[in-house]
Amino acid sequence: MEKILVIAESINVEDSSGSKANVALIKNLHQAGFELMVYHYTRQEIKLTDIPCFAIKENRRSLNFFLSRIERRLRKDLKIDLHCLLENLFGFSFTLLNDRDSIAESIREIEGFIPHYILTLSKGGSFRPHQALLKIPELHSKWIAYMHDPYPMHLYPPPFAWVEPGQFKKWQFVKEISERAAFSAFPSELLMKWMGSYFSEFLRSGIIIPHQISNQKNREVELPEFFDSSKFNILHAGTLLEPRDPEPLVKSFLIFLKKYPSASNKVNLIFAGNSSVHEIFLKKISSNNENIHFFPKGLPFVQVQKMQELSSVNVILEAKSDISPFLPGKFPHCVKADRPILLLGPDLSESKRLLGDDYTYWSRVEDQERITNLLEKLYLLWKGSPKNMKLNRKDLEKYLSSAYLKKAIQNLSR
């Protein structure tokens, strides 16, 4: 079986949805039978069962390290912010450049493990492992560059797009990835086509490796006191970025409660995760309504997973837009939970593409009337028989499985 060297920015499942996706992918590669070695820049020792993992150390003696600390001191102590100027000159911060060099140095020092493929995994708006691989051209013929999101930031679809300092150098960085990596991988078909419209080489080298369902069984976990699995629980788990507006869902939920006052002691709308600019609204509405619960700092990952499995409905909330090419990190968790998904987002989205054009529980995020009707339909289904609250999508379970992943990797050598 092929050997794969994985270079991951983080494998700490508590720090971001990207890291959760990284770990699920690594575990499924192992389950598929690939021999793995994982190097990660999490800055702490983290172990994955039966998978050798090595934490990459930051080089704290380099010129870029000292320049990054000088820049930080100027910003913090003297209120002199040079980051825009520096990124326009160099494309990236001294901190990122030092991280890149630290990762590249660790890769060069690996001995005794000769991989067939080298897979780079990052998170958020950062591609540090990709930066590192670009500096090691002798490894490009084995390189699978996993592009988890659009980049640079001005290539995000509205309303996410914004222009970063150093955008032209960042553009050149992604162009180099598209031209030098032997293979590129994307979590969604729409994202590959979206990025391929800007960097055509991605369409030549690209494959789809969706976020994975982890088959690891959750240990017994203590749930929040308010959570009663016998009730009709509607759960949104995960970060609410600014464009992901929960207000239409909340207002629809309140309209639903007015229509069904007898349900007030049976239903809950739960938000668990960081909420950006929506925190003030959610804190206020949850403090004034006992049916709405809000955890702005999130909850432990295993706890959230258990809540997803025991909730009646899981919500995927996307931005008000014409297109959402992302596959949300929570999508496989929701499929695994096997509960109906209330999908709120644009008609052209990867989540909707996978669920299907005829999927019942979909609405545009701003359509309060339709959302209210869907909540009513789901509630009546639950009231009639809670056992019927199933997603029942074996096709998606297969698509997000280690078996599909194994075929995708094996096809690279054909």
Side-chain angles (χ1 to χ4, degrees):
M1 182 57 72
E2 291 97 336
K3 297 180 179 180
I4 301 177
L5 173 63
V6 179
I7 312 297
E9 188 150 344
S10 174
I11 57 171
N12 178 7
V13 296
E14 302 297 346
D15 70 22
S16 68
S17 60
S19 297
K20 294 179 181 68
N22 288 346
V23 170
L25 176 53
I26 291 168
K27 287 182 176 180
N28 274 15
L29 284 170
H30 174 71
Q31 183 178 333
F34 296 102
E35 184 178 345
L36 304 182
M37 180 175 287
V38 177
Y39 275 68
H40 61 95
Y41 203 56
T42 316
R43 319 292 186 88
Q44 64 186 99
E45 294 294 335
I46 296 178
K47 301 298 182 184
L48 301 177
T49 303
D50 297 327
I51 303 173
C53 297
F54 303 92
I56 297 171
K57 294 182 179 179
E58 180 185 27
N59 183 350
R60 302 176 69 87
R61 295 185 177 183
S62 70
L63 176 60
N64 279 327
F65 176 81
F66 286 110
L67 289 174
S68 71
R69 292 309 182 267
I70 292 171
E71 189 271 331
R72 185 178 299 178
R73 282 297 176 188
L74 288 172
R75 183 174 68 251
K76 184 176 180 180
D77 297 341
L78 301 179
K79 310 303 179 185
I80 299 174
D81 191 347
L82 298 176
H83 89 277
C84 287
L85 173 64
L86 294 172
E87 291 197 26
N88 279 325
L89 285 173
F90 302 107
F92 303 93
S93 68
F94 290 129
T95 297
L96 187 144
L97 295 176
N98 186 63
D99 294 342
R100 172 202 66 185
D101 293 343
S102 300
I103 295 170
E105 183 178 350
S106 291
I107 296 171
R108 290 191 180 100
E109 292 176 351
I110 296 173
E111 296 180 352
F113 186 83
I114 302 176
H116 296 85
Y117 301 109
I118 300 172
L119 174 63
T120 50
L121 303 174
S122 289
K123 63 173 188 173
S126 170
F127 291 82
R128 283 167 167 80
H130 302 65
Q131 294 267 5
L133 257 291
L134 278 178
K135 292 178 65 69
I136 314 176
E138 63 269 25
L139 299 180
H140 291 176
S141 63
K142 302 179 178 183
W143 183 13
I144 306 173
Y146 194 89
M147 305 298 294
H148 59 276
D149 274 336
Y151 195 80
M153 294 299 184
H154 66 276
L155 296 188
Y156 270 76
F160 289 99
W162 62 285
V163 177
E164 298 172 279
Q167 60 167 318
F168 297 111
K169 292 185 181 295
K170 289 178 171 67
W171 174 284
Q172 185 61 36
F173 159 64
V174 180
K175 189 172 188 296
E176 289 180 11
I177 293 174
S178 72
E179 294 171 346
R180 298 184 186 183
F183 310 100
S184 58
F186 299 83
S188 86
E189 181 180 297
L190 280 182
L191 180 59
M192 185 177 75
K193 291 179 179 178
W194 180 269
M195 289 298 288
S197 69
Y198 298 101
F199 307 99
S200 60
E201 287 299 307
F202 282 140
L203 299 178
R204 175 193 59 79
S205 66
I207 62 169
I208 309 302
I209 298 180
H211 298 316
Q212 299 288 294
I213 288 178
S214 173
N215 291 318
Q216 180 178 342
K217 293 184 178 180
N218 290 329
R219 61 182 184 272
E220 290 298 320
V221 295
E222 184 177 347
L223 297 174
E225 289 185 6
F226 80 88
F227 190 86
D228 182 349
S229 61
S230 68
K231 293 186 176 182
F232 181 70
N233 294 304
I234 305 162
L235 173 64
H236 179 277
T239 301
L240 281 172
L241 300 175
E242 182 175 351
R244 297 172 183 163
D245 185 5
E247 192 166 340
L249 171 59
V250 170
K251 289 182 176 179
S252 298
F253 179 73
L254 294 176
I255 294 170
F256 159 75
L257 282 179
K258 286 184 179 180
K259 189 172 182 180
Y260 291 88
S262 61
S264 61
N265 63 343
K266 303 174 186 176
V267 302
N268 290 302
L269 176 61
I270 307 163
F271 294 92
N274 297 328
S275 56
S276 182
V277 299
H278 307 298
E279 185 167 332
I280 294 175
F281 166 73
L282 288 173
K283 278 185 175 179
K284 182 178 180 180
I285 200 73
S286 60
S287 64
N288 293 327
N289 193 303
E290 62 182 10
N291 298 99
I292 300 176
H293 304 268
F294 173 49
F295 298 88
K297 294 183 180 179
L299 295 167
F301 180 43
V302 293
Q303 197 173 59
V304 172
Q305 278 195 309
K306 194 65 177 178
M307 289 172 63
Q308 287 174 318
E309 293 171 4
L310 296 175
S311 290
S312 306
V313 179
N314 285 303
V315 178
I316 293 179
L317 176 59
E318 300 183 308
K320 181 181 178 181
S321 179
D322 292 327
I323 182 173
S324 180
F326 324 100
L327 181 64
K330 76 180 75 177
F331 189 87
H333 307 151
C334 294
V335 172
K336 179 184 178 183
D338 196 25
R339 294 290 189 262
I341 295 172
L342 177 59
L343 175 61
L344 307 179
D347 183 58
L348 185 57
S349 83
E350 183 71 5
S351 295
K352 189 169 185 291
R353 185 187 76 81
L354 292 177
L355 288 169
D357 288 336
D358 58 348
Y359 183 70
T360 302
Y361 306 117
W362 165 81
S363 171
R364 293 188 180 277
V365 67
E366 71 275 16
D367 191 345
Q368 289 183 207
E369 182 178 356
R370 178 168 172 79
I371 296 172
T372 304
N373 290 337
L374 291 177
L375 291 175
E376 179 181 355
K377 182 178 292 189
L378 286 161
Y379 171 69
L380 293 176
L381 179 64
W382 171 84
K383 190 177 179 182
S385 176
K387 293 181 179 180
N388 288 332
M389 303 300 288
K390 298 288 185 181
L391 181 64
N392 193 26
R393 291 296 298 268
K394 299 300 181 183
D395 59 324
L396 293 179
E397 291 177 20
K398 183 177 180 180
Y399 177 67
L400 303 168
S401 72
S402 60
Y404 177 91
L405 174 62
K406 182 177 181 179
K407 289 181 181 179
I409 299 296
Q410 289 177 331
N411 285 338
L412 294 177
S413 59
R414 294 179 181 176

